[in-house]
Amino acid sequence: MKFWLVLCLFITPSLLITAQNINLPTEYIRNTISGEKTLPANVQGSPYPTEEFQQGTVNILDKSFTTLVRYNALADAFEIKDPTGEITNLLRRPNITVELNGSDYEIEYFIDDDGNRRQGYFQKLNDGDAVFLKRRGVIKQDALRATNSYGRDKPASLDHYEKYFLKKGDTPAEEVRLKRKDILRQLNNEEVEQFVKKHKFKLKNESEVIQTLEFYNSLNIE
């Protein structure tokens, strides 16, 4: 009897993970994926910040599903792998969020480099009316031929980047650099400026920006 009890304790968690994975609603996944298979073989680099699938949680409305997941920065999509090894894309929907490695990822509206309003995945770094967001992406660099006989051809490559955004209320997120003047200009609040000055923040790292936003949110600014 004791043997079967111990055996169940080891088997049950894996069964739960598998069951949750299978129950992921099919209307929220796409059977085709866009990733390495769509790229020429000679391209250097990877679409994925982390190649390996990791256990995460997909939240859809009021339900949660444990699954293996990884982020495709080139396609701006989360890929999931089911127990059979099949890989599919999780559809980009505002009511879908992903928890991975202790971080929350969700769809947000933002203003891109051309001034257009778009939607994309962001890592949410704090809670409140003013939210600090991180966006990961990939730039495709074309191959370059050597300009002379002494040079070398440069193959096409995928270059990863990270950008930071601030979102206030219901307005689209806007890109912000980790610079004191840029952060303070977007927040536009004298009390926040005094707070930053008091703590001698340079606002060049995530921690200082998050602390500043926590103070900003505590002011209940309308």
Side-chain angles (χ1 to χ4, degrees):
M1 181 68 179
K2 186 179 292 184
F3 169 79
W4 289 109
L5 178 60
V6 173
L7 183 62
C8 288
L9 288 175
F10 281 100
I11 292 177
T12 302
S14 61
L15 288 178
L16 286 174
I17 292 174
T18 301
Q20 287 175 313
N21 206 339
I22 291 174
N23 289 332
L24 191 65
T26 56
E27 63 267 28
Y28 292 103
I29 60 176
R30 183 185 295 114
N31 288 330
T32 58
I33 66 169
S34 52
E36 289 178 315
K37 293 181 180 179
T38 64
L39 295 170
N42 61 341
V43 174
Q44 293 187 347
S46 168
Y48 309 100
T50 302
E51 292 273 349
E52 298 78 16
F53 281 88
Q54 299 171 295
Q55 185 169 306
T57 302
V58 177
N59 302 301
I60 302 174
L61 299 176
D62 60 343
K63 296 182 179 180
S64 297
F65 305 88
T66 301
T67 186
L68 292 175
V69 62
R70 67 179 177 184
Y71 178 61
N72 184 330
L74 180 62
D76 190 21
F78 276 96
E79 297 175 358
I80 57 176
K81 181 192 287 187
D82 70 15
T84 69
E86 182 181 2
I87 300 173
T88 54
N89 266 352
L90 187 67
L91 295 181
R92 284 201 297 265
R93 296 289 184 269
N95 59 356
I96 300 177
T97 62
V98 177
E99 297 175 33
L100 183 63
N101 292 328
S103 297
D104 294 327
Y105 296 83
E106 57 186 41
I107 294 292
E108 296 284 359
Y109 282 103
F110 69 102
I111 304 300
D112 66 14
D113 293 338
D114 297 320
N116 299 315
R117 188 172 184 262
R118 293 174 50 201
Q119 278 187 324
Y121 273 110
F122 288 85
Q123 180 183 354
K124 189 177 180 182
L125 300 178
N126 74 298
D127 294 311
D129 185 67
V131 184
F132 191 36
L133 304 165
K134 181 191 289 187
R135 180 167 170 81
R136 291 180 171 87
V138 170
I139 296 177
K140 289 190 287 186
Q141 303 285 5
D142 294 332
L144 296 175
R145 285 191 170 277
T147 56
N148 53 56
S149 58
Y150 298 100
R152 292 184 178 180
D153 293 342
K154 183 178 179 181
S157 64
L158 297 178
D159 297 339
H160 287 256
Y161 67 84
E162 292 181 348
K163 291 184 178 182
Y164 292 94
F165 287 72
L166 274 178
K167 183 178 184 297
K168 294 166 63 178
D170 295 326
T171 61
E174 295 187 22
E175 185 180 354
V176 65
R177 293 177 297 177
L178 290 186
K179 289 189 175 182
R180 179 170 171 166
K181 65 177 183 179
D182 290 4
I183 301 290
L184 292 179
R185 180 168 59 245
Q186 284 210 24
L187 294 177
N188 190 29
N189 182 276
E190 187 173 337
E191 289 183 74
V192 173
E193 290 186 22
Q194 293 302 318
F195 173 84
V196 169
K197 184 177 180 179
K198 174 184 176 181
H199 292 277
K200 299 180 180 179
F201 285 165
K202 295 183 179 180
L203 302 181
K204 291 185 176 181
N205 59 63
E206 294 178 7
S207 176
E208 291 185 354
V209 176
I210 291 171
Q211 291 179 66
T212 301
L213 288 178
E214 287 175 347
F215 175 76
Y216 176 89
N217 288 329
S218 72
L219 299 176
N220 296 318
I221 300 172
E222 295 183 0

